[in-house]
Amino acid sequence: MKPLRVFLSGVVAIAMTFGFSPSTAHGQSGCASDLNGDGVVSADDLAILLSDWGGTCLGTVTSVTPLYGLTSGGTEITINGTNLDGTLAVEVGGVACTNLQVLSSTLVKAVTPPAKSSGAVAITVTNAGGTATAADAFTYVSVIVPTWATLIEALPDPAVVTDATLRNAIIASGFAWRVRDNGTQIEMVLAPGGTFTMGCTASNGYACNSGENPTHSVTITNAFYMGRYEVTQAQWLAKMGSNPSYFQPPTYTADTNRPVEQVSWTTIQGFLTATGMQLPTEAQWEYACRAGTTTAFHGFTGYLSGTNDDTLVGNIAW
């Protein structure tokens, strides 16, 4: 028997894009000495240089990470650019940030203020030389926490969800990334809607069975929440009153946080009725398991794009 996983559905995905344009300054021609950009290095350029003599150069913003944060504020952003060592203030959407840290001439950190609404806003960096603006450099988002759940983490952690396209798809759904079901305490993560190729991918050592082909394109219309871990013996016991697992205390373990097993599809129906959950469809399960990979085995540390190497299965299974 396979360990049991459960999910909750009915989350609708929407679209959103992110991006910004960095600020600009002198020297936009092919020659750095052509300060006024007229194509000629002349006395006019020298006059510009002398007029700025002893002054502070205007800072510039070349990149901002992360590109998004909650409308409630509190997101620490890192600004990369030039002439940032004299930064006096950073504003996001016209409101001053807190916890400003000027780390070097190219690096500044600050914490975003709350916003009245979601959407892309400008970031401004001010020093003695003036104010530089990066339009649409940061996007405020708001997330929905389902009524049946408690929030664990609103936005996907880049250290965990390493693919930027997937992170943006999760954020674009409008729903929180990680939640905990109030009734069972099962932790759940959001799988955004999308399209994938369903069916077997042959490994280096084994061909596909006939029943696993042909591969075909499947679109998951709605986002859904999937249990982050297998349903545990403790979670099953709390709802069903008994533990059917073979590997259970006291013979094999003292830990009822191990997955529940020795459960049939029929038996599982009682757990689903007691919790209001559903089993994932085959398409939802494969979509979530693949997580964007197209290989025989899904990704893991060192092989985030997956692998077809059978000798590596021990890193993720058994």
Side-chain angles (χ1 to χ4, degrees):
M1 292 289 182
K2 294 183 178 179
L4 168 64
R5 285 181 181 266
V6 294
F7 84 114
L8 290 165
S9 63
V11 180
V12 181
I14 58 174
M16 184 181 297
T17 58
F18 305 92
F20 72 94
S21 300
S23 60
T24 58
H26 290 308
Q28 299 304 301
S29 72
C31 179
S33 299
D34 179 18
L35 299 182
N36 63 3
D38 63 359
V40 178
V41 179
S42 64
D44 293 335
D45 301 303
L46 178 59
I48 293 173
L49 175 62
L50 293 175
S51 67
D52 289 339
W53 194 272
T56 302
C57 292
L58 181 67
T60 63
V61 178
T62 56
S63 67
V64 178
T65 53
L67 294 176
Y68 47 81
L70 294 175
T71 54
S72 57
T75 301
E76 183 178 72
I77 58 173
T78 299
I79 300 172
N80 288 277
T82 60
N83 304 319
L84 298 179
D85 46 347
T87 299
L88 301 173
V90 173
E91 293 185 354
V92 176
V95 182
C97 290
T98 58
N99 298 86
L100 174 62
Q101 302 176 58
V102 181
L103 302 178
S104 69
S105 63
T106 61
L107 187 64
V108 166
K109 289 188 176 182
V111 175
T112 60
K116 294 181 179 179
S117 61
S118 58
V121 295
I123 288 182
T124 61
V125 175
T126 301
N127 63 10
T131 297
T133 301
D136 297 336
F138 185 80
T139 299
Y140 277 111
V141 297
S142 58
V143 298
I144 298 171
V145 179
T147 57
W148 46 263
T150 300
L151 177 67
I152 298 178
E153 194 168 5
L155 300 179
D157 183 350
V160 177
V161 186
T162 57
D163 184 83
T165 300
L166 179 55
R167 288 198 305 273
N168 287 341
I170 293 171
I171 295 166
S173 75
F175 285 83
W177 174 47
R178 284 204 301 147
V179 299
R180 191 180 306 280
D181 176 53
N182 294 327
T184 62
Q185 298 304 300
I186 290 175
E187 181 181 339
M188 313 198 89
V189 293
L190 188 79
T195 299
F196 76 109
T197 300
M198 183 174 176
C200 177
T201 303
S203 68
N204 294 344
Y206 294 91
C208 297
N209 296 324
S210 59
E212 299 173 319
N213 281 315
T215 59
H216 53 286
S217 179
V218 173
T219 297
I220 305 296
T221 305
N222 295 335
F224 58 92
Y225 282 102
M226 176 80 82
R228 183 179 181 185
Y229 307 104
E230 292 87 352
V231 174
T232 68
Q233 296 176 26
Q235 290 163 345
W236 180 277
L237 183 61
K239 291 295 180 181
M240 303 299 289
S242 61
N243 186 355
S245 302
Y246 181 80
F247 295 98
Q248 65 167 288
T251 306
Y252 292 98
T253 179
D255 185 7
T256 54
N257 283 324
R258 289 194 175 194
V260 67
E261 20 85 12
Q262 303 301 314
V263 290
S264 66
W265 183 89
T266 302
T267 307
I268 289 169
Q269 303 312 301
F271 183 83
L272 301 181
T273 299
T275 61
M277 295 184 176
Q278 299 172 251
L279 290 175
T281 66
E282 186 174 358
Q284 287 170 326
W285 165 250
E286 184 173 333
Y287 175 68
C289 182
R290 284 188 175 276
T293 61
T294 57
T295 51
F297 310 112
H298 65 65
F300 57 96
T301 303
Y303 295 83
L304 295 181
S305 297
T307 180
N308 292 322
D309 188 346
D310 302 85
T311 66
L312 297 176
V313 176
N315 291 278
I316 57 176
W318 322 135

PDB file of all heavy atoms in Angstrom, residues 162-197:
ATOM      1  N   THR A 162      12.910  27.003  -5.458  1.00  0.00           N
ATOM      2  CA  THR A 162      14.058  27.645  -6.092  1.00  0.00           C
ATOM      3  C   THR A 162      13.759  28.179  -7.490  1.00  0.00           C
ATOM      4  O   THR A 162      14.480  29.035  -7.993  1.00  0.00           O
ATOM      5  CB  THR A 162      15.230  26.653  -6.180  1.00  0.00           C
ATOM      6  OG1 THR A 162      14.803  25.475  -6.894  1.00  0.00           O
ATOM      7  CG2 THR A 162      15.696  26.240  -4.793  1.00  0.00           C
ATOM      8  N   ASP A 163      12.710  27.688  -8.128  1.00  0.00           N
ATOM      9  CA  ASP A 163      12.377  28.120  -9.482  1.00  0.00           C
ATOM     10  C   ASP A 163      11.534  29.392  -9.438  1.00  0.00           C
ATOM     11  O   ASP A 163      10.442  29.402  -8.862  1.00  0.00           O
ATOM     12  CB  ASP A 163      11.614  27.015 -10.214  1.00  0.00           C
ATOM     13  CG  ASP A 163      11.326  27.384 -11.655  1.00  0.00           C
ATOM     14  OD1 ASP A 163      12.207  27.193 -12.503  1.00  0.00           O
ATOM     15  OD2 ASP A 163      10.207  27.877 -11.916  1.00  0.00           O
ATOM     16  N   ALA A 164      12.037  30.476 -10.044  1.00  0.00           N
ATOM     17  CA  ALA A 164      11.352  31.766  -9.986  1.00  0.00           C
ATOM     18  C   ALA A 164       9.993  31.724 -10.670  1.00  0.00           C
ATOM     19  O   ALA A 164       9.038  32.363 -10.206  1.00  0.00           O
ATOM     20  CB  ALA A 164      12.222  32.845 -10.627  1.00  0.00           C
ATOM     21  N   THR A 165       9.878  30.973 -11.761  1.00  0.00           N
ATOM     22  CA  THR A 165       8.595  30.871 -12.459  1.00  0.00           C
ATOM     23  C   THR A 165       7.542  30.223 -11.575  1.00  0.00           C
ATOM     24  O   THR A 165       6.387  30.661 -11.517  1.00  0.00           O
ATOM     25  CB  THR A 165       8.758  30.072 -13.758  1.00  0.00           C
ATOM     26  OG1 THR A 165       9.712  30.731 -14.604  1.00  0.00           O
ATOM     27  CG2 THR A 165       7.437  29.951 -14.499  1.00  0.00           C
ATOM     28  N   LEU A 166       7.942  29.186 -10.852  1.00  0.00           N
ATOM     29  CA  LEU A 166       7.010  28.513  -9.944  1.00  0.00           C
ATOM     30  C   LEU A 166       6.634  29.420  -8.777  1.00  0.00           C
ATOM     31  O   LEU A 166       5.468  29.480  -8.378  1.00  0.00           O
ATOM     32  CB  LEU A 166       7.629  27.216  -9.426  1.00  0.00           C
ATOM     33  CG  LEU A 166       6.785  26.407  -8.432  1.00  0.00           C
ATOM     34  CD1 LEU A 166       5.416  26.086  -9.004  1.00  0.00           C
ATOM     35  CD2 LEU A 166       7.510  25.135  -8.021  1.00  0.00           C
ATOM     36  N   ARG A 167       7.606  30.152  -8.228  1.00  0.00           N
ATOM     37  CA  ARG A 167       7.298  31.085  -7.137  1.00  0.00           C
ATOM     38  C   ARG A 167       6.273  32.119  -7.594  1.00  0.00           C
ATOM     39  O   ARG A 167       5.306  32.415  -6.878  1.00  0.00           O
ATOM     40  CB  ARG A 167       8.559  31.797  -6.653  1.00  0.00           C
ATOM     41  CG  ARG A 167       9.519  30.929  -5.872  1.00  0.00           C
ATOM     42  CD  ARG A 167      10.481  31.777  -5.065  1.00  0.00           C
ATOM     43  NE  ARG A 167      11.218  32.742  -5.852  1.00  0.00           N
ATOM     44  CZ  ARG A 167      12.361  32.487  -6.475  1.00  0.00           C
ATOM     45  NH1 ARG A 167      12.889  31.268  -6.399  1.00  0.00           N
ATOM     46  NH2 ARG A 167      12.978  33.422  -7.165  1.00  0.00           N
ATOM     47  N   ASN A 168       6.470  32.674  -8.773  1.00  0.00           N
ATOM     48  CA  ASN A 168       5.535  33.680  -9.283  1.00  0.00           C
ATOM     49  C   ASN A 168       4.151  33.092  -9.526  1.00  0.00           C
ATOM     50  O   ASN A 168       3.132  33.762  -9.324  1.00  0.00           O
ATOM     51  CB  ASN A 168       6.086  34.308 -10.564  1.00  0.00           C
ATOM     52  CG  ASN A 168       7.251  35.251 -10.296  1.00  0.00           C
ATOM     53  OD1 ASN A 168       7.439  35.712  -9.172  1.00  0.00           O
ATOM     54  ND2 ASN A 168       8.042  35.521 -11.314  1.00  0.00           N
ATOM     55  N   ALA A 169       4.095  31.828  -9.961  1.00  0.00           N
ATOM     56  CA  ALA A 169       2.799  31.179 -10.179  1.00  0.00           C
ATOM     57  C   ALA A 169       2.063  30.979  -8.863  1.00  0.00           C
ATOM     58  O   ALA A 169       0.840  31.151  -8.789  1.00  0.00           O
ATOM     59  CB  ALA A 169       3.003  29.845 -10.893  1.00  0.00           C
ATOM     60  N   ILE A 170       2.792  30.628  -7.810  1.00  0.00           N
ATOM     61  CA  ILE A 170       2.173  30.467  -6.492  1.00  0.00           C
ATOM     62  C   ILE A 170       1.638  31.811  -6.009  1.00  0.00           C
ATOM     63  O   ILE A 170       0.503  31.913  -5.531  1.00  0.00           O
ATOM     64  CB  ILE A 170       3.194  29.894  -5.490  1.00  0.00           C
ATOM     65  CG1 ILE A 170       3.560  28.461  -5.872  1.00  0.00           C
ATOM     66  CG2 ILE A 170       2.640  29.946  -4.063  1.00  0.00           C
ATOM     67  CD1 ILE A 170       4.719  27.888  -5.075  1.00  0.00           C
ATOM     68  N   ILE A 171       2.440  32.851  -6.139  1.00  0.00           N
ATOM     69  CA  ILE A 171       2.022  34.181  -5.703  1.00  0.00           C
ATOM     70  C   ILE A 171       0.826  34.666  -6.515  1.00  0.00           C
ATOM     71  O   ILE A 171      -0.116  35.257  -5.982  1.00  0.00           O
ATOM     72  CB  ILE A 171       3.194  35.177  -5.826  1.00  0.00           C
ATOM     73  CG1 ILE A 171       4.309  34.778  -4.853  1.00  0.00           C
ATOM     74  CG2 ILE A 171       2.749  36.608  -5.550  1.00  0.00           C
ATOM     75  CD1 ILE A 171       5.615  35.472  -5.119  1.00  0.00           C
ATOM     76  N   ALA A 172       0.862  34.402  -7.831  1.00  0.00           N
ATOM     77  CA  ALA A 172      -0.211  34.869  -8.710  1.00  0.00           C
ATOM     78  C   ALA A 172      -1.552  34.208  -8.386  1.00  0.00           C
ATOM     79  O   ALA A 172      -2.604  34.755  -8.715  1.00  0.00           O
ATOM     80  CB  ALA A 172       0.156  34.596 -10.170  1.00  0.00           C
ATOM     81  N   SER A 173      -1.541  33.060  -7.719  1.00  0.00           N
ATOM     82  CA  SER A 173      -2.796  32.407  -7.358  1.00  0.00           C
ATOM     83  C   SER A 173      -3.601  33.242  -6.378  1.00  0.00           C
ATOM     84  O   SER A 173      -4.821  33.132  -6.297  1.00  0.00           O
ATOM     85  CB  SER A 173      -2.518  31.031  -6.744  1.00  0.00           C
ATOM     86  OG  SER A 173      -2.028  31.151  -5.415  1.00  0.00           O
ATOM     87  N   GLY A 174      -2.910  34.082  -5.606  1.00  0.00           N
ATOM     88  CA  GLY A 174      -3.576  34.914  -4.611  1.00  0.00           C
ATOM     89  C   GLY A 174      -3.783  34.232  -3.276  1.00  0.00           C
ATOM     90  O   GLY A 174      -4.331  34.823  -2.349  1.00  0.00           O
ATOM     91  N   PHE A 175      -3.335  32.969  -3.147  1.00  0.00           N
ATOM     92  CA  PHE A 175      -3.514  32.210  -1.912  1.00  0.00           C
ATOM     93  C   PHE A 175      -2.183  31.981  -1.203  1.00  0.00           C
ATOM     94  O   PHE A 175      -1.131  31.965  -1.834  1.00  0.00           O
ATOM     95  CB  PHE A 175      -4.197  30.870  -2.202  1.00  0.00           C
ATOM     96  CG  PHE A 175      -5.660  30.999  -2.479  1.00  0.00           C
ATOM     97  CD1 PHE A 175      -6.103  31.347  -3.757  1.00  0.00           C
ATOM     98  CD2 PHE A 175      -6.598  30.804  -1.487  1.00  0.00           C
ATOM     99  CE1 PHE A 175      -7.450  31.487  -4.022  1.00  0.00           C
ATOM    100  CE2 PHE A 175      -7.949  30.937  -1.742  1.00  0.00           C
ATOM    101  CZ  PHE A 175      -8.378  31.289  -3.009  1.00  0.00           C
ATOM    102  N   ALA A 176      -2.252  31.814   0.109  1.00  0.00           N
ATOM    103  CA  ALA A 176      -1.060  31.597   0.917  1.00  0.00           C
ATOM    104  C   ALA A 176      -0.359  30.306   0.505  1.00  0.00           C
ATOM    105  O   ALA A 176      -0.999  29.316   0.144  1.00  0.00           O
ATOM    106  CB  ALA A 176      -1.428  31.539   2.396  1.00  0.00           C
ATOM    107  N   TRP A 177       0.960  30.315   0.611  1.00  0.00           N
ATOM    108  CA  TRP A 177       1.762  29.169   0.174  1.00  0.00           C
ATOM    109  C   TRP A 177       1.653  27.996   1.136  1.00  0.00           C
ATOM    110  O   TRP A 177       1.410  26.861   0.735  1.00  0.00           O
ATOM    111  CB  TRP A 177       3.226  29.597   0.040  1.00  0.00           C
ATOM    112  CG  TRP A 177       4.158  28.470  -0.262  1.00  0.00           C
ATOM    113  CD1 TRP A 177       4.000  27.500  -1.208  1.00  0.00           C
ATOM    114  CD2 TRP A 177       5.400  28.181   0.391  1.00  0.00           C
ATOM    115  NE1 TRP A 177       5.066  26.633  -1.205  1.00  0.00           N
ATOM    116  CE2 TRP A 177       5.943  27.028  -0.238  1.00  0.00           C
ATOM    117  CE3 TRP A 177       6.118  28.787   1.409  1.00  0.00           C
ATOM    118  CZ2 TRP A 177       7.166  26.476   0.151  1.00  0.00           C
ATOM    119  CZ3 TRP A 177       7.333  28.234   1.781  1.00  0.00           C
ATOM    120  CH2 TRP A 177       7.847  27.100   1.166  1.00  0.00           C
ATOM    121  N   ARG A 178       1.819  28.235   2.434  1.00  0.00           N
ATOM    122  CA  ARG A 178       1.791  27.143   3.412  1.00  0.00           C
ATOM    123  C   ARG A 178       0.753  27.437   4.486  1.00  0.00           C
ATOM    124  O   ARG A 178       0.743  28.520   5.074  1.00  0.00           O
ATOM    125  CB  ARG A 178       3.149  26.957   4.092  1.00  0.00           C
ATOM    126  CG  ARG A 178       4.186  26.267   3.250  1.00  0.00           C
ATOM    127  CD  ARG A 178       5.256  25.612   4.138  1.00  0.00           C
ATOM    128  NE  ARG A 178       5.942  26.555   5.006  1.00  0.00           N
ATOM    129  CZ  ARG A 178       6.392  26.260   6.214  1.00  0.00           C
ATOM    130  NH1 ARG A 178       6.184  25.050   6.739  1.00  0.00           N
ATOM    131  NH2 ARG A 178       7.035  27.162   6.925  1.00  0.00           N
ATOM    132  N   VAL A 179      -0.118  26.470   4.735  1.00  0.00           N
ATOM    133  CA  VAL A 179      -1.161  26.618   5.757  1.00  0.00           C
ATOM    134  C   VAL A 179      -1.265  25.320   6.546  1.00  0.00           C
ATOM    135  O   VAL A 179      -0.727  24.285   6.146  1.00  0.00           O
ATOM    136  CB  VAL A 179      -2.534  26.958   5.129  1.00  0.00           C
ATOM    137  CG1 VAL A 179      -2.481  28.274   4.358  1.00  0.00           C
ATOM    138  CG2 VAL A 179      -3.014  25.824   4.219  1.00  0.00           C
ATOM    139  N   ARG A 180      -1.987  25.389   7.672  1.00  0.00           N
ATOM    140  CA  ARG A 180      -2.238  24.197   8.476  1.00  0.00           C
ATOM    141  C   ARG A 180      -3.741  24.017   8.637  1.00  0.00           C
ATOM    142  O   ARG A 180      -4.442  24.940   9.054  1.00  0.00           O
ATOM    143  CB  ARG A 180      -1.569  24.315   9.844  1.00  0.00           C
ATOM    144  CG  ARG A 180      -1.576  22.988  10.632  1.00  0.00           C
ATOM    145  CD  ARG A 180      -0.894  23.134  11.981  1.00  0.00           C
ATOM    146  NE  ARG A 180       0.433  23.679  11.883  1.00  0.00           N
ATOM    147  CZ  ARG A 180       1.518  22.985  11.544  1.00  0.00           C
ATOM    148  NH1 ARG A 180       1.396  21.691  11.249  1.00  0.00           N
ATOM    149  NH2 ARG A 180       2.700  23.549  11.481  1.00  0.00           N
ATOM    150  N   ASP A 181      -4.234  22.831   8.279  1.00  0.00           N
ATOM    151  CA  ASP A 181      -5.650  22.530   8.414  1.00  0.00           C
ATOM    152  C   ASP A 181      -6.035  22.542   9.889  1.00  0.00           C
ATOM    153  O   ASP A 181      -5.420  21.853  10.716  1.00  0.00           O
ATOM    154  CB  ASP A 181      -5.948  21.161   7.806  1.00  0.00           C
ATOM    155  CG  ASP A 181      -7.388  20.746   8.009  1.00  0.00           C
ATOM    156  OD1 ASP A 181      -8.277  21.526   7.657  1.00  0.00           O
ATOM    157  OD2 ASP A 181      -7.611  19.639   8.555  1.00  0.00           O
ATOM    158  N   ASN A 182      -7.055  23.325  10.232  1.00  0.00           N
ATOM    159  CA  ASN A 182      -7.445  23.479  11.635  1.00  0.00           C
ATOM    160  C   ASN A 182      -7.967  22.187  12.255  1.00  0.00           C
ATOM    161  O   ASN A 182      -7.776  21.919  13.438  1.00  0.00           O
ATOM    162  CB  ASN A 182      -8.506  24.575  11.769  1.00  0.00           C
ATOM    163  CG  ASN A 182      -7.976  25.944  11.414  1.00  0.00           C
ATOM    164  OD1 ASN A 182      -6.806  26.232  11.641  1.00  0.00           O
ATOM    165  ND2 ASN A 182      -8.818  26.793  10.837  1.00  0.00           N
ATOM    166  N   GLY A 183      -8.636  21.367  11.450  1.00  0.00           N
ATOM    167  CA  GLY A 183      -9.273  20.178  11.994  1.00  0.00           C
ATOM    168  C   GLY A 183      -8.335  19.024  12.254  1.00  0.00           C
ATOM    169  O   GLY A 183      -8.570  18.212  13.146  1.00  0.00           O
ATOM    170  N   THR A 184      -7.254  18.922  11.476  1.00  0.00           N
ATOM    171  CA  THR A 184      -6.342  17.775  11.582  1.00  0.00           C
ATOM    172  C   THR A 184      -4.917  18.159  11.923  1.00  0.00           C
ATOM    173  O   THR A 184      -4.107  17.291  12.230  1.00  0.00           O
ATOM    174  CB  THR A 184      -6.303  17.015  10.253  1.00  0.00           C
ATOM    175  OG1 THR A 184      -5.795  17.905   9.232  1.00  0.00           O
ATOM    176  CG2 THR A 184      -7.680  16.513   9.854  1.00  0.00           C
ATOM    177  N   GLN A 185      -4.603  19.451  11.815  1.00  0.00           N
ATOM    178  CA  GLN A 185      -3.236  19.955  11.985  1.00  0.00           C
ATOM    179  C   GLN A 185      -2.298  19.459  10.887  1.00  0.00           C
ATOM    180  O   GLN A 185      -1.071  19.472  11.042  1.00  0.00           O
ATOM    181  CB  GLN A 185      -2.677  19.583  13.362  1.00  0.00           C
ATOM    182  CG  GLN A 185      -3.466  20.174  14.524  1.00  0.00           C
ATOM    183  CD  GLN A 185      -3.580  21.690  14.428  1.00  0.00           C
ATOM    184  OE1 GLN A 185      -2.579  22.405  14.428  1.00  0.00           O
ATOM    185  NE2 GLN A 185      -4.812  22.187  14.322  1.00  0.00           N
ATOM    186  N   ILE A 186      -2.866  19.048   9.762  1.00  0.00           N
ATOM    187  CA  ILE A 186      -2.055  18.642   8.616  1.00  0.00           C
ATOM    188  C   ILE A 186      -1.520  19.888   7.916  1.00  0.00           C
ATOM    189  O   ILE A 186      -2.276  20.800   7.580  1.00  0.00           O
ATOM    190  CB  ILE A 186      -2.881  17.785   7.638  1.00  0.00           C
ATOM    191  CG1 ILE A 186      -3.188  16.423   8.267  1.00  0.00           C
ATOM    192  CG2 ILE A 186      -2.155  17.606   6.309  1.00  0.00           C
ATOM    193  CD1 ILE A 186      -4.089  15.556   7.421  1.00  0.00           C
ATOM    194  N   GLU A 187      -0.212  19.926   7.696  1.00  0.00           N
ATOM    195  CA  GLU A 187       0.396  21.046   6.971  1.00  0.00           C
ATOM    196  C   GLU A 187       0.204  20.841   5.483  1.00  0.00           C
ATOM    197  O   GLU A 187       0.422  19.745   4.957  1.00  0.00           O
ATOM    198  CB  GLU A 187       1.885  21.146   7.296  1.00  0.00           C
ATOM    199  CG  GLU A 187       2.573  22.308   6.586  1.00  0.00           C
ATOM    200  CD  GLU A 187       4.058  22.407   6.890  1.00  0.00           C
ATOM    201  OE1 GLU A 187       4.496  21.855   7.917  1.00  0.00           O
ATOM    202  OE2 GLU A 187       4.773  23.040   6.079  1.00  0.00           O
ATOM    203  N   MET A 188      -0.189  21.908   4.783  1.00  0.00           N
ATOM    204  CA  MET A 188      -0.474  21.808   3.358  1.00  0.00           C
ATOM    205  C   MET A 188       0.254  22.913   2.607  1.00  0.00           C
ATOM    206  O   MET A 188       0.476  24.009   3.130  1.00  0.00           O
ATOM    207  CB  MET A 188      -1.975  21.887   3.113  1.00  0.00           C
ATOM    208  CG  MET A 188      -2.792  20.992   4.032  1.00  0.00           C
ATOM    209  SD  MET A 188      -4.466  20.691   3.446  1.00  0.00           S
ATOM    210  CE  MET A 188      -4.215  19.237   2.446  1.00  0.00           C
ATOM    211  N   VAL A 189       0.665  22.609   1.372  1.00  0.00           N
ATOM    212  CA  VAL A 189       1.331  23.583   0.515  1.00  0.00           C
ATOM    213  C   VAL A 189       0.527  23.732  -0.780  1.00  0.00           C
ATOM    214  O   VAL A 189      -0.162  22.808  -1.209  1.00  0.00           O
ATOM    215  CB  VAL A 189       2.779  23.179   0.189  1.00  0.00           C
ATOM    216  CG1 VAL A 189       3.636  23.226   1.438  1.00  0.00           C
ATOM    217  CG2 VAL A 189       2.832  21.789  -0.426  1.00  0.00           C
ATOM    218  N   LEU A 190       0.636  24.919  -1.372  1.00  0.00           N
ATOM    219  CA  LEU A 190      -0.155  25.231  -2.557  1.00  0.00           C
ATOM    220  C   LEU A 190       0.532  24.760  -3.832  1.00  0.00           C
ATOM    221  O   LEU A 190       1.718  25.033  -4.044  1.00  0.00           O
ATOM    222  CB  LEU A 190      -0.390  26.741  -2.638  1.00  0.00           C
ATOM    223  CG  LEU A 190      -1.358  27.174  -3.736  1.00  0.00           C
ATOM    224  CD1 LEU A 190      -2.799  26.941  -3.291  1.00  0.00           C
ATOM    225  CD2 LEU A 190      -1.164  28.643  -4.097  1.00  0.00           C
ATOM    226  N   ALA A 191      -0.206  24.067  -4.665  1.00  0.00           N
ATOM    227  CA  ALA A 191       0.241  23.724  -6.012  1.00  0.00           C
ATOM    228  C   ALA A 191      -0.553  24.603  -6.975  1.00  0.00           C
ATOM    229  O   ALA A 191      -1.771  24.474  -7.059  1.00  0.00           O
ATOM    230  CB  ALA A 191      -0.005  22.256  -6.320  1.00  0.00           C
ATOM    231  N   PRO A 192       0.105  25.540  -7.682  1.00  0.00           N
ATOM    232  CA  PRO A 192      -0.633  26.422  -8.584  1.00  0.00           C
ATOM    233  C   PRO A 192      -1.109  25.676  -9.818  1.00  0.00           C
ATOM    234  O   PRO A 192      -0.573  24.614 -10.159  1.00  0.00           O
ATOM    235  CB  PRO A 192       0.412  27.482  -8.955  1.00  0.00           C
ATOM    236  CG  PRO A 192       1.710  26.749  -8.877  1.00  0.00           C
ATOM    237  CD  PRO A 192       1.554  25.771  -7.732  1.00  0.00           C
ATOM    238  N   GLY A 193      -2.121  26.212 -10.471  1.00  0.00           N
ATOM    239  CA  GLY A 193      -2.577  25.600 -11.712  1.00  0.00           C
ATOM    240  C   GLY A 193      -1.499  25.660 -12.779  1.00  0.00           C
ATOM    241  O   GLY A 193      -0.563  26.454 -12.711  1.00  0.00           O
ATOM    242  N   GLY A 194      -1.623  24.800 -13.773  1.00  0.00           N
ATOM    243  CA  GLY A 194      -0.637  24.789 -14.850  1.00  0.00           C
ATOM    244  C   GLY A 194      -0.837  23.608 -15.769  1.00  0.00           C
ATOM    245  O   GLY A 194      -1.753  22.799 -15.592  1.00  0.00           O
ATOM    246  N   THR A 195       0.023  23.499 -16.773  1.00  0.00           N
ATOM    247  CA  THR A 195      -0.036  22.432 -17.772  1.00  0.00           C
ATOM    248  C   THR A 195       1.241  21.614 -17.721  1.00  0.00           C
ATOM    249  O   THR A 195       2.335  22.170 -17.587  1.00  0.00           O
ATOM    250  CB  THR A 195      -0.226  23.024 -19.176  1.00  0.00           C
ATOM    251  OG1 THR A 195      -1.464  23.754 -19.214  1.00  0.00           O
ATOM    252  CG2 THR A 195      -0.263  21.933 -20.230  1.00  0.00           C
ATOM    253  N   PHE A 196       1.115  20.292 -17.808  1.00  0.00           N
ATOM    254  CA  PHE A 196       2.291  19.418 -17.804  1.00  0.00           C
ATOM    255  C   PHE A 196       2.040  18.218 -18.696  1.00  0.00           C
ATOM    256  O   PHE A 196       0.905  17.959 -19.118  1.00  0.00           O
ATOM    257  CB  PHE A 196       2.630  18.973 -16.372  1.00  0.00           C
ATOM    258  CG  PHE A 196       1.725  17.897 -15.829  1.00  0.00           C
ATOM    259  CD1 PHE A 196       2.196  16.608 -15.642  1.00  0.00           C
ATOM    260  CD2 PHE A 196       0.395  18.168 -15.503  1.00  0.00           C
ATOM    261  CE1 PHE A 196       1.366  15.609 -15.135  1.00  0.00           C
ATOM    262  CE2 PHE A 196      -0.435  17.175 -14.990  1.00  0.00           C
ATOM    263  CZ  PHE A 196       0.052  15.897 -14.811  1.00  0.00           C
ATOM    264  N   THR A 197       3.115  17.483 -18.993  1.00  0.00           N
ATOM    265  CA  THR A 197       3.009  16.265 -19.781  1.00  0.00           C
ATOM    266  C   THR A 197       2.881  15.091 -18.832  1.00  0.00           C
ATOM    267  O   THR A 197       3.802  14.770 -18.081  1.00  0.00           O
ATOM    268  CB  THR A 197       4.236  16.079 -20.691  1.00  0.00           C
ATOM    269  OG1 THR A 197       4.320  17.196 -21.584  1.00  0.00           O
ATOM    270  CG2 THR A 197       4.123  14.791 -21.495  1.00  0.00           C
TER     271      THR A 197
END
